[in-house]
Amino acid sequence: MKKIQHFVNGQLFSGNSKRVGKVFNPATGEQSAEVILASTKDINDAVANAAEAFESWSNKPPLQRARIMFKFKELIEKNSDELTKIIVSEHGKVYEDAKGSLTRGLEVVEYACGIPQLLKGEFTENVGTDVDSWSIRQPLGVCAGITPFNFPAMVPMWMFPMAIACGNTFILKPSEKDPSCALRLAELLKEAGLPNGVFNVVNGDKESVDALIDNKEVAAISFVGSTPIAKYIYENCAKNEKRVQALGGAKNHCVVMPDCDLDQAVNGLMGAAYGSAGERCMAQSVAVAVGGIGDKLVNALAKKVETLKVGPGMDKQSEMGPLVTKEHLEKVKGYVDLGVKEGAKLVVDGRDFKIQGYENGYYIGGCLFDNVTKDMRIYKEEIFGPVLSVVRAKDFNEALNLVNKHEFGNGVSIFTRDGDSGRTFSNKAKIGMVGVNIPIPVPMAFHSFGGWKRSLFGDQHMHGPEGVRFYTKLKTITSRWPSGLRSDPEFTMPTMK
Ligand code: NAD
């Protein structure tokens, strides 16, 4: 059985742990590898190494760091087919979707190539008489990233290109469900000329995460995953005086106004609810049908959900692949059972979906519920599967109220032809990322990504300008060079004269 190791100090590293996890191919249900789950000692060794590498890496001029990012960008492009296939083989999503997610990660690398410009700082000449003042941003030290299974390339790439370009060293702890992509990215960074110890991958589970939180040399942790773990990371990093950004789960609504272009809304919803089998933090899992559009919307959706092409990710015909693991498949099916029990109307039932030749794969067909209400658990909780719930709302205000009362606040969108509805909605929604006639409003790399409420614990969003702020600390220097005159001691608060 293939054994997946760690990557520390520029080479593969197996550490001293005897614990392993199983990695599967979700399309077939076959185990493809064992992944070593790091011990606390393995983590501490990796961090010590990264701390040593920080000394010289942080002193490298930003331009030299940028040149490595440029080379890394070329290598990702050159190896994109291989990286995409690795994602498909362990996550299960369809090839073109996996490739798109890699591109969204690549865009962060492109943004990080501009680091000399981004780190320029601010200067005021003569802030007081003959006194100058300037502000600079310096790297933090060893930073760590803990990432979820659903974007094995993109989510780590929201973090490490920014952290490294800012002059930090980095430990990535990817999801133990699909760890191989991170290791290939580490090899490509090395090929791009990144010095050993600057980027490290340590595979593991809770033990590794706790070791990172407890290690005093780790200055900051970026986390993306489910809300309970995000909250745990946030609280414990705060306790240990670490900088932290912890992105959590979601329940993204799509408000469908009666005046919208229905085809556009339906097509948008199909991709956003069923793309990547609903395993996206920006997936739309609730459609809010406003006014009289409900029946038309549900009928149009039902036709498309029934004919959704579900199959292995490498099959060019597939629109939706399997779920990531057998346990997750059971969990999603359990939510569909629950919805029926709670009294929602199951318009399309994908629970018994099977494909010939792939009977052991983790497939489920698209599921569509109508008449879901706000007190049902299938409305309140994140299902993270291809299950779309339609909720009916009498008017715009009721729809907006639903959005704003929900505990999650990652993404939301509205479909309308009315500028006033679109603008008011963007202004009033208590949500981090809003789309107007855009089903999945994931910001580009040069903006920043993040939700509100229980979808993000911490102050800064990921990548873009917020990424630079998160991975650097501000220092302000005030100086003067008095010539000849010596001033007497001053015992009052200095003010600029
Ligand atoms: P998860 O929370 O189970 O795991 C995320 C990471 O935390 C993994 O690396 C895992 O090893 C680690 N982990 C798991 N249990 C832990 C524990 N008890 N203590 C410490 N660490 C632990 O999430 P997942 O199932 O891999 O990913 C799906 C979730 O991620 C969904 O909730 C989804 O919404 C969320 N997500 C959010 C965003 C966002 O931007 N807000 C993006 C992608 C995914």
Side-chain angles (χ1 to χ4, degrees), residues 375-406:
D375 48 323
M376 291 179 184
R377 275 183 57 203
I378 59 160
Y379 172 75
K380 291 196 265 195
E381 296 172 19
E382 182 183 40
I383 300 175
F384 221 53
V387 182
L388 177 63
S389 295
V390 178
V391 180
R392 311 268 182 141
K394 69 174 184 311
D395 56 20
F396 174 88
N397 286 336
E398 190 180 330
L400 180 64
N401 209 29
L402 275 171
V403 168
N404 285 347
K405 288 264 164 68
H406 205 285

PDB file of all heavy atoms in Angstrom, residues 375-406:
ATOM      1  N   ASP A 375     -37.525  26.494  10.714  1.00  0.00           N
ATOM      2  CA  ASP A 375     -37.284  25.754  11.957  1.00  0.00           C
ATOM      3  C   ASP A 375     -36.767  24.335  11.707  1.00  0.00           C
ATOM      4  O   ASP A 375     -36.441  23.606  12.634  1.00  0.00           O
ATOM      5  CB  ASP A 375     -38.579  25.718  12.797  1.00  0.00           C
ATOM      6  CG  ASP A 375     -39.761  25.299  11.935  1.00  0.00           C
ATOM      7  OD1 ASP A 375     -39.781  25.714  10.758  1.00  0.00           O
ATOM      8  OD2 ASP A 375     -40.621  24.530  12.413  1.00  0.00           O
ATOM      9  N   MET A 376     -36.689  23.907  10.443  1.00  0.00           N
ATOM     10  CA  MET A 376     -36.234  22.533  10.163  1.00  0.00           C
ATOM     11  C   MET A 376     -34.709  22.458  10.263  1.00  0.00           C
ATOM     12  O   MET A 376     -34.008  23.396   9.873  1.00  0.00           O
ATOM     13  CB  MET A 376     -36.650  22.121   8.734  1.00  0.00           C
ATOM     14  CG  MET A 376     -38.139  21.948   8.575  1.00  0.00           C
ATOM     15  SD  MET A 376     -38.525  21.485   6.862  1.00  0.00           S
ATOM     16  CE  MET A 376     -40.314  21.480   6.941  1.00  0.00           C
ATOM     17  N   ARG A 377     -34.222  21.296  10.716  1.00  0.00           N
ATOM     18  CA  ARG A 377     -32.762  21.139  10.808  1.00  0.00           C
ATOM     19  C   ARG A 377     -32.109  21.154   9.424  1.00  0.00           C
ATOM     20  O   ARG A 377     -30.982  21.605   9.277  1.00  0.00           O
ATOM     21  CB  ARG A 377     -32.426  19.836  11.535  1.00  0.00           C
ATOM     22  CG  ARG A 377     -32.424  20.006  13.056  1.00  0.00           C
ATOM     23  CD  ARG A 377     -32.015  18.728  13.752  1.00  0.00           C
ATOM     24  NE  ARG A 377     -30.715  18.243  13.327  1.00  0.00           N
ATOM     25  CZ  ARG A 377     -30.312  16.970  13.422  1.00  0.00           C
ATOM     26  NH1 ARG A 377     -31.113  16.057  13.939  1.00  0.00           N
ATOM     27  NH2 ARG A 377     -29.112  16.594  13.023  1.00  0.00           N
ATOM     28  N   ILE A 378     -32.814  20.656   8.396  1.00  0.00           N
ATOM     29  CA  ILE A 378     -32.196  20.667   7.054  1.00  0.00           C
ATOM     30  C   ILE A 378     -32.024  22.103   6.545  1.00  0.00           C
ATOM     31  O   ILE A 378     -31.251  22.347   5.631  1.00  0.00           O
ATOM     32  CB  ILE A 378     -32.952  19.818   6.000  1.00  0.00           C
ATOM     33  CG1 ILE A 378     -34.400  20.300   5.820  1.00  0.00           C
ATOM     34  CG2 ILE A 378     -32.858  18.348   6.295  1.00  0.00           C
ATOM     35  CD1 ILE A 378     -34.982  19.837   4.485  1.00  0.00           C
ATOM     36  N   TYR A 379     -32.755  23.049   7.158  1.00  0.00           N
ATOM     37  CA  TYR A 379     -32.549  24.466   6.805  1.00  0.00           C
ATOM     38  C   TYR A 379     -31.435  25.075   7.653  1.00  0.00           C
ATOM     39  O   TYR A 379     -30.613  25.849   7.173  1.00  0.00           O
ATOM     40  CB  TYR A 379     -33.843  25.264   6.996  1.00  0.00           C
ATOM     41  CG  TYR A 379     -33.610  26.762   6.828  1.00  0.00           C
ATOM     42  CD1 TYR A 379     -33.426  27.315   5.559  1.00  0.00           C
ATOM     43  CD2 TYR A 379     -33.523  27.603   7.938  1.00  0.00           C
ATOM     44  CE1 TYR A 379     -33.163  28.661   5.402  1.00  0.00           C
ATOM     45  CE2 TYR A 379     -33.265  28.954   7.791  1.00  0.00           C
ATOM     46  CZ  TYR A 379     -33.087  29.481   6.516  1.00  0.00           C
ATOM     47  OH  TYR A 379     -32.821  30.819   6.359  1.00  0.00           O
ATOM     48  N   LYS A 380     -31.408  24.676   8.929  1.00  0.00           N
ATOM     49  CA  LYS A 380     -30.488  25.345   9.850  1.00  0.00           C
ATOM     50  C   LYS A 380     -29.048  24.848   9.711  1.00  0.00           C
ATOM     51  O   LYS A 380     -28.108  25.603   9.903  1.00  0.00           O
ATOM     52  CB  LYS A 380     -30.959  25.127  11.295  1.00  0.00           C
ATOM     53  CG  LYS A 380     -32.265  25.866  11.603  1.00  0.00           C
ATOM     54  CD  LYS A 380     -32.510  25.958  13.072  1.00  0.00           C
ATOM     55  CE  LYS A 380     -33.390  24.850  13.555  1.00  0.00           C
ATOM     56  NZ  LYS A 380     -33.962  24.989  14.851  1.00  0.00           N
ATOM     57  N   GLU A 381     -28.883  23.549   9.396  1.00  0.00           N
ATOM     58  CA  GLU A 381     -27.547  22.955   9.451  1.00  0.00           C
ATOM     59  C   GLU A 381     -26.915  22.830   8.070  1.00  0.00           C
ATOM     60  O   GLU A 381     -27.608  22.717   7.073  1.00  0.00           O
ATOM     61  CB  GLU A 381     -27.638  21.575  10.132  1.00  0.00           C
ATOM     62  CG  GLU A 381     -28.101  21.710  11.587  1.00  0.00           C
ATOM     63  CD  GLU A 381     -28.398  20.385  12.265  1.00  0.00           C
ATOM     64  OE1 GLU A 381     -27.925  19.327  11.789  1.00  0.00           O
ATOM     65  OE2 GLU A 381     -29.123  20.415  13.280  1.00  0.00           O
ATOM     66  N   GLU A 382     -25.593  22.812   8.060  1.00  0.00           N
ATOM     67  CA  GLU A 382     -24.865  22.639   6.799  1.00  0.00           C
ATOM     68  C   GLU A 382     -24.864  21.153   6.434  1.00  0.00           C
ATOM     69  O   GLU A 382     -24.413  20.324   7.217  1.00  0.00           O
ATOM     70  CB  GLU A 382     -23.423  23.137   6.970  1.00  0.00           C
ATOM     71  CG  GLU A 382     -22.612  23.046   5.689  1.00  0.00           C
ATOM     72  CD  GLU A 382     -21.161  23.484   5.883  1.00  0.00           C
ATOM     73  OE1 GLU A 382     -20.555  23.150   6.914  1.00  0.00           O
ATOM     74  OE2 GLU A 382     -20.629  24.160   4.980  1.00  0.00           O
ATOM     75  N   ILE A 383     -25.358  20.814   5.248  1.00  0.00           N
ATOM     76  CA  ILE A 383     -25.410  19.403   4.831  1.00  0.00           C
ATOM     77  C   ILE A 383     -24.133  19.042   4.069  1.00  0.00           C
ATOM     78  O   ILE A 383     -23.593  17.973   4.196  1.00  0.00           O
ATOM     79  CB  ILE A 383     -26.679  19.138   3.981  1.00  0.00           C
ATOM     80  CG1 ILE A 383     -27.932  19.456   4.820  1.00  0.00           C
ATOM     81  CG2 ILE A 383     -26.699  17.711   3.462  1.00  0.00           C
ATOM     82  CD1 ILE A 383     -29.257  19.353   4.072  1.00  0.00           C
ATOM     83  N   PHE A 384     -23.655  19.954   3.262  1.00  0.00           N
ATOM     84  CA  PHE A 384     -22.418  19.783   2.484  1.00  0.00           C
ATOM     85  C   PHE A 384     -22.526  18.622   1.495  1.00  0.00           C
ATOM     86  O   PHE A 384     -21.657  17.764   1.382  1.00  0.00           O
ATOM     87  CB  PHE A 384     -21.221  19.590   3.419  1.00  0.00           C
ATOM     88  CG  PHE A 384     -20.000  20.341   2.952  1.00  0.00           C
ATOM     89  CD1 PHE A 384     -20.060  21.693   2.676  1.00  0.00           C
ATOM     90  CD2 PHE A 384     -18.779  19.691   2.774  1.00  0.00           C
ATOM     91  CE1 PHE A 384     -18.942  22.395   2.238  1.00  0.00           C
ATOM     92  CE2 PHE A 384     -17.652  20.380   2.330  1.00  0.00           C
ATOM     93  CZ  PHE A 384     -17.741  21.732   2.070  1.00  0.00           C
ATOM     94  N   GLY A 385     -23.652  18.603   0.786  1.00  0.00           N
ATOM     95  CA  GLY A 385     -23.896  17.590  -0.236  1.00  0.00           C
ATOM     96  C   GLY A 385     -24.843  18.184  -1.271  1.00  0.00           C
ATOM     97  O   GLY A 385     -25.280  19.335  -1.147  1.00  0.00           O
ATOM     98  N   PRO A 386     -25.200  17.400  -2.305  1.00  0.00           N
ATOM     99  CA  PRO A 386     -26.020  17.924  -3.393  1.00  0.00           C
ATOM    100  C   PRO A 386     -27.508  17.962  -3.041  1.00  0.00           C
ATOM    101  O   PRO A 386     -28.314  17.253  -3.634  1.00  0.00           O
ATOM    102  CB  PRO A 386     -25.732  16.960  -4.536  1.00  0.00           C
ATOM    103  CG  PRO A 386     -25.417  15.673  -3.848  1.00  0.00           C
ATOM    104  CD  PRO A 386     -24.788  16.000  -2.541  1.00  0.00           C
ATOM    105  N   VAL A 387     -27.827  18.745  -2.042  1.00  0.00           N
ATOM    106  CA  VAL A 387     -29.207  18.812  -1.543  1.00  0.00           C
ATOM    107  C   VAL A 387     -29.614  20.290  -1.510  1.00  0.00           C
ATOM    108  O   VAL A 387     -29.038  21.077  -0.759  1.00  0.00           O
ATOM    109  CB  VAL A 387     -29.305  18.222  -0.114  1.00  0.00           C
ATOM    110  CG1 VAL A 387     -30.750  18.240   0.371  1.00  0.00           C
ATOM    111  CG2 VAL A 387     -28.712  16.823  -0.051  1.00  0.00           C
ATOM    112  N   LEU A 388     -30.594  20.645  -2.337  1.00  0.00           N
ATOM    113  CA  LEU A 388     -31.043  22.037  -2.377  1.00  0.00           C
ATOM    114  C   LEU A 388     -32.429  22.141  -1.738  1.00  0.00           C
ATOM    115  O   LEU A 388     -33.335  21.372  -2.069  1.00  0.00           O
ATOM    116  CB  LEU A 388     -31.097  22.520  -3.843  1.00  0.00           C
ATOM    117  CG  LEU A 388     -31.615  23.934  -4.074  1.00  0.00           C
ATOM    118  CD1 LEU A 388     -30.716  24.986  -3.419  1.00  0.00           C
ATOM    119  CD2 LEU A 388     -31.724  24.231  -5.585  1.00  0.00           C
ATOM    120  N   SER A 389     -32.563  23.089  -0.821  1.00  0.00           N
ATOM    121  CA  SER A 389     -33.844  23.308  -0.139  1.00  0.00           C
ATOM    122  C   SER A 389     -34.493  24.576  -0.662  1.00  0.00           C
ATOM    123  O   SER A 389     -33.863  25.644  -0.640  1.00  0.00           O
ATOM    124  CB  SER A 389     -33.611  23.504   1.366  1.00  0.00           C
ATOM    125  OG  SER A 389     -33.104  22.328   1.926  1.00  0.00           O
ATOM    126  N   VAL A 390     -35.727  24.469  -1.122  1.00  0.00           N
ATOM    127  CA  VAL A 390     -36.448  25.676  -1.539  1.00  0.00           C
ATOM    128  C   VAL A 390     -37.337  26.132  -0.383  1.00  0.00           C
ATOM    129  O   VAL A 390     -38.117  25.348   0.167  1.00  0.00           O
ATOM    130  CB  VAL A 390     -37.291  25.427  -2.807  1.00  0.00           C
ATOM    131  CG1 VAL A 390     -38.066  26.687  -3.193  1.00  0.00           C
ATOM    132  CG2 VAL A 390     -36.399  24.978  -3.963  1.00  0.00           C
ATOM    133  N   VAL A 391     -37.167  27.409  -0.020  1.00  0.00           N
ATOM    134  CA  VAL A 391     -37.980  28.025   1.038  1.00  0.00           C
ATOM    135  C   VAL A 391     -38.820  29.095   0.347  1.00  0.00           C
ATOM    136  O   VAL A 391     -38.314  29.803  -0.526  1.00  0.00           O
ATOM    137  CB  VAL A 391     -37.059  28.685   2.103  1.00  0.00           C
ATOM    138  CG1 VAL A 391     -37.885  29.337   3.207  1.00  0.00           C
ATOM    139  CG2 VAL A 391     -36.101  27.679   2.701  1.00  0.00           C
ATOM    140  N   ARG A 392     -40.080  29.189   0.726  1.00  0.00           N
ATOM    141  CA  ARG A 392     -40.927  30.224   0.099  1.00  0.00           C
ATOM    142  C   ARG A 392     -40.990  31.457   1.000  1.00  0.00           C
ATOM    143  O   ARG A 392     -41.154  31.329   2.219  1.00  0.00           O
ATOM    144  CB  ARG A 392     -42.356  29.681  -0.090  1.00  0.00           C
ATOM    145  CG  ARG A 392     -42.430  28.293  -0.744  1.00  0.00           C
ATOM    146  CD  ARG A 392     -42.578  28.409  -2.232  1.00  0.00           C
ATOM    147  NE  ARG A 392     -42.705  27.106  -2.875  1.00  0.00           N
ATOM    148  CZ  ARG A 392     -43.520  26.884  -3.897  1.00  0.00           C
ATOM    149  NH1 ARG A 392     -44.304  27.840  -4.363  1.00  0.00           N
ATOM    150  NH2 ARG A 392     -43.549  25.702  -4.475  1.00  0.00           N
ATOM    151  N   ALA A 393     -40.870  32.637   0.388  1.00  0.00           N
ATOM    152  CA  ALA A 393     -40.984  33.888   1.162  1.00  0.00           C
ATOM    153  C   ALA A 393     -41.972  34.793   0.447  1.00  0.00           C
ATOM    154  O   ALA A 393     -41.967  34.859  -0.787  1.00  0.00           O
ATOM    155  CB  ALA A 393     -39.629  34.578   1.252  1.00  0.00           C
ATOM    156  N   LYS A 394     -42.803  35.525   1.228  1.00  0.00           N
ATOM    157  CA  LYS A 394     -43.864  36.303   0.547  1.00  0.00           C
ATOM    158  C   LYS A 394     -43.294  37.532  -0.177  1.00  0.00           C
ATOM    159  O   LYS A 394     -43.768  37.917  -1.218  1.00  0.00           O
ATOM    160  CB  LYS A 394     -45.020  36.648   1.490  1.00  0.00           C
ATOM    161  CG  LYS A 394     -44.720  37.634   2.595  1.00  0.00           C
ATOM    162  CD  LYS A 394     -46.021  37.978   3.342  1.00  0.00           C
ATOM    163  CE  LYS A 394     -45.846  39.031   4.411  1.00  0.00           C
ATOM    164  NZ  LYS A 394     -44.737  38.841   5.363  1.00  0.00           N
ATOM    165  N   ASP A 395     -42.223  38.130   0.393  1.00  0.00           N
ATOM    166  CA  ASP A 395     -41.680  39.323  -0.266  1.00  0.00           C
ATOM    167  C   ASP A 395     -40.185  39.469   0.024  1.00  0.00           C
ATOM    168  O   ASP A 395     -39.582  38.663   0.745  1.00  0.00           O
ATOM    169  CB  ASP A 395     -42.448  40.583   0.189  1.00  0.00           C
ATOM    170  CG  ASP A 395     -42.428  40.754   1.704  1.00  0.00           C
ATOM    171  OD1 ASP A 395     -41.536  40.164   2.355  1.00  0.00           O
ATOM    172  OD2 ASP A 395     -43.312  41.457   2.239  1.00  0.00           O
ATOM    173  N   PHE A 396     -39.613  40.526  -0.546  1.00  0.00           N
ATOM    174  CA  PHE A 396     -38.177  40.809  -0.423  1.00  0.00           C
ATOM    175  C   PHE A 396     -37.747  40.873   1.043  1.00  0.00           C
ATOM    176  O   PHE A 396     -36.727  40.301   1.440  1.00  0.00           O
ATOM    177  CB  PHE A 396     -37.885  42.140  -1.139  1.00  0.00           C
ATOM    178  CG  PHE A 396     -36.475  42.634  -0.967  1.00  0.00           C
ATOM    179  CD1 PHE A 396     -35.468  42.225  -1.839  1.00  0.00           C
ATOM    180  CD2 PHE A 396     -36.148  43.533   0.041  1.00  0.00           C
ATOM    181  CE1 PHE A 396     -34.157  42.685  -1.687  1.00  0.00           C
ATOM    182  CE2 PHE A 396     -34.843  43.992   0.203  1.00  0.00           C
ATOM    183  CZ  PHE A 396     -33.851  43.568  -0.671  1.00  0.00           C
ATOM    184  N   ASN A 397     -38.506  41.576   1.875  1.00  0.00           N
ATOM    185  CA  ASN A 397     -38.107  41.765   3.272  1.00  0.00           C
ATOM    186  C   ASN A 397     -38.057  40.444   4.032  1.00  0.00           C
ATOM    187  O   ASN A 397     -37.161  40.217   4.841  1.00  0.00           O
ATOM    188  CB  ASN A 397     -39.062  42.735   3.988  1.00  0.00           C
ATOM    189  CG  ASN A 397     -38.788  44.158   3.533  1.00  0.00           C
ATOM    190  OD1 ASN A 397     -37.690  44.464   3.075  1.00  0.00           O
ATOM    191  ND2 ASN A 397     -39.799  45.021   3.630  1.00  0.00           N
ATOM    192  N   GLU A 398     -39.035  39.577   3.743  1.00  0.00           N
ATOM    193  CA  GLU A 398     -39.014  38.274   4.427  1.00  0.00           C
ATOM    194  C   GLU A 398     -37.781  37.474   3.993  1.00  0.00           C
ATOM    195  O   GLU A 398     -37.127  36.809   4.815  1.00  0.00           O
ATOM    196  CB  GLU A 398     -40.305  37.503   4.110  1.00  0.00           C
ATOM    197  CG  GLU A 398     -40.453  36.266   4.989  1.00  0.00           C
ATOM    198  CD  GLU A 398     -41.733  35.459   4.700  1.00  0.00           C
ATOM    199  OE1 GLU A 398     -42.743  36.059   4.282  1.00  0.00           O
ATOM    200  OE2 GLU A 398     -41.695  34.237   4.888  1.00  0.00           O
ATOM    201  N   ALA A 399     -37.441  37.563   2.706  1.00  0.00           N
ATOM    202  CA  ALA A 399     -36.262  36.839   2.197  1.00  0.00           C
ATOM    203  C   ALA A 399     -34.989  37.377   2.849  1.00  0.00           C
ATOM    204  O   ALA A 399     -34.142  36.614   3.327  1.00  0.00           O
ATOM    205  CB  ALA A 399     -36.188  36.976   0.673  1.00  0.00           C
ATOM    206  N   LEU A 400     -34.869  38.693   2.900  1.00  0.00           N
ATOM    207  CA  LEU A 400     -33.681  39.321   3.493  1.00  0.00           C
ATOM    208  C   LEU A 400     -33.563  38.959   4.977  1.00  0.00           C
ATOM    209  O   LEU A 400     -32.475  38.687   5.493  1.00  0.00           O
ATOM    210  CB  LEU A 400     -33.761  40.849   3.306  1.00  0.00           C
ATOM    211  CG  LEU A 400     -32.598  41.647   3.864  1.00  0.00           C
ATOM    212  CD1 LEU A 400     -31.288  41.308   3.161  1.00  0.00           C
ATOM    213  CD2 LEU A 400     -32.878  43.151   3.738  1.00  0.00           C
ATOM    214  N   ASN A 401     -34.704  38.924   5.630  1.00  0.00           N
ATOM    215  CA  ASN A 401     -34.732  38.575   7.047  1.00  0.00           C
ATOM    216  C   ASN A 401     -34.232  37.150   7.294  1.00  0.00           C
ATOM    217  O   ASN A 401     -33.494  36.885   8.239  1.00  0.00           O
ATOM    218  CB  ASN A 401     -36.182  38.722   7.529  1.00  0.00           C
ATOM    219  CG  ASN A 401     -36.209  39.069   8.989  1.00  0.00           C
ATOM    220  OD1 ASN A 401     -35.282  39.694   9.501  1.00  0.00           O
ATOM    221  ND2 ASN A 401     -37.255  38.626   9.673  1.00  0.00           N
ATOM    222  N   LEU A 402     -34.620  36.230   6.402  1.00  0.00           N
ATOM    223  CA  LEU A 402     -34.149  34.840   6.517  1.00  0.00           C
ATOM    224  C   LEU A 402     -32.626  34.803   6.436  1.00  0.00           C
ATOM    225  O   LEU A 402     -31.951  34.182   7.247  1.00  0.00           O
ATOM    226  CB  LEU A 402     -34.706  34.006   5.351  1.00  0.00           C
ATOM    227  CG  LEU A 402     -36.080  33.394   5.474  1.00  0.00           C
ATOM    228  CD1 LEU A 402     -36.512  32.815   4.129  1.00  0.00           C
ATOM    229  CD2 LEU A 402     -36.083  32.281   6.521  1.00  0.00           C
ATOM    230  N   VAL A 403     -32.103  35.499   5.427  1.00  0.00           N
ATOM    231  CA  VAL A 403     -30.652  35.547   5.200  1.00  0.00           C
ATOM    232  C   VAL A 403     -29.953  36.090   6.445  1.00  0.00           C
ATOM    233  O   VAL A 403     -28.975  35.524   6.942  1.00  0.00           O
ATOM    234  CB  VAL A 403     -30.337  36.439   3.969  1.00  0.00           C
ATOM    235  CG1 VAL A 403     -28.848  36.762   3.865  1.00  0.00           C
ATOM    236  CG2 VAL A 403     -30.857  35.792   2.685  1.00  0.00           C
ATOM    237  N   ASN A 404     -30.484  37.171   6.970  1.00  0.00           N
ATOM    238  CA  ASN A 404     -29.793  37.860   8.070  1.00  0.00           C
ATOM    239  C   ASN A 404     -29.933  37.159   9.409  1.00  0.00           C
ATOM    240  O   ASN A 404     -29.087  37.306  10.282  1.00  0.00           O
ATOM    241  CB  ASN A 404     -30.278  39.311   8.166  1.00  0.00           C
ATOM    242  CG  ASN A 404     -29.680  40.134   7.045  1.00  0.00           C
ATOM    243  OD1 ASN A 404     -28.750  39.682   6.373  1.00  0.00           O
ATOM    244  ND2 ASN A 404     -30.206  41.329   6.829  1.00  0.00           N
ATOM    245  N   LYS A 405     -30.977  36.358   9.565  1.00  0.00           N
ATOM    246  CA  LYS A 405     -31.180  35.658  10.843  1.00  0.00           C
ATOM    247  C   LYS A 405     -30.399  34.352  10.904  1.00  0.00           C
ATOM    248  O   LYS A 405     -30.280  33.744  11.957  1.00  0.00           O
ATOM    249  CB  LYS A 405     -32.676  35.352  11.044  1.00  0.00           C
ATOM    250  CG  LYS A 405     -33.501  36.589  11.360  1.00  0.00           C
ATOM    251  CD  LYS A 405     -33.679  36.732  12.867  1.00  0.00           C
ATOM    252  CE  LYS A 405     -34.134  38.101  13.315  1.00  0.00           C
ATOM    253  NZ  LYS A 405     -35.487  38.446  12.921  1.00  0.00           N
ATOM    254  N   HIS A 406     -29.898  33.881   9.756  1.00  0.00           N
ATOM    255  CA  HIS A 406     -29.209  32.583   9.767  1.00  0.00           C
ATOM    256  C   HIS A 406     -27.869  32.716  10.481  1.00  0.00           C
ATOM    257  O   HIS A 406     -27.218  33.750  10.402  1.00  0.00           O
ATOM    258  CB  HIS A 406     -29.013  32.053   8.342  1.00  0.00           C
ATOM    259  CG  HIS A 406     -28.898  30.558   8.310  1.00  0.00           C
ATOM    260  ND1 HIS A 406     -27.758  29.897   8.721  1.00  0.00           N
ATOM    261  CD2 HIS A 406     -29.791  29.589   7.984  1.00  0.00           C
ATOM    262  CE1 HIS A 406     -27.954  28.589   8.617  1.00  0.00           C
ATOM    263  NE2 HIS A 406     -29.184  28.373   8.178  1.00  0.00           N
TER     264      HIS A 406
END
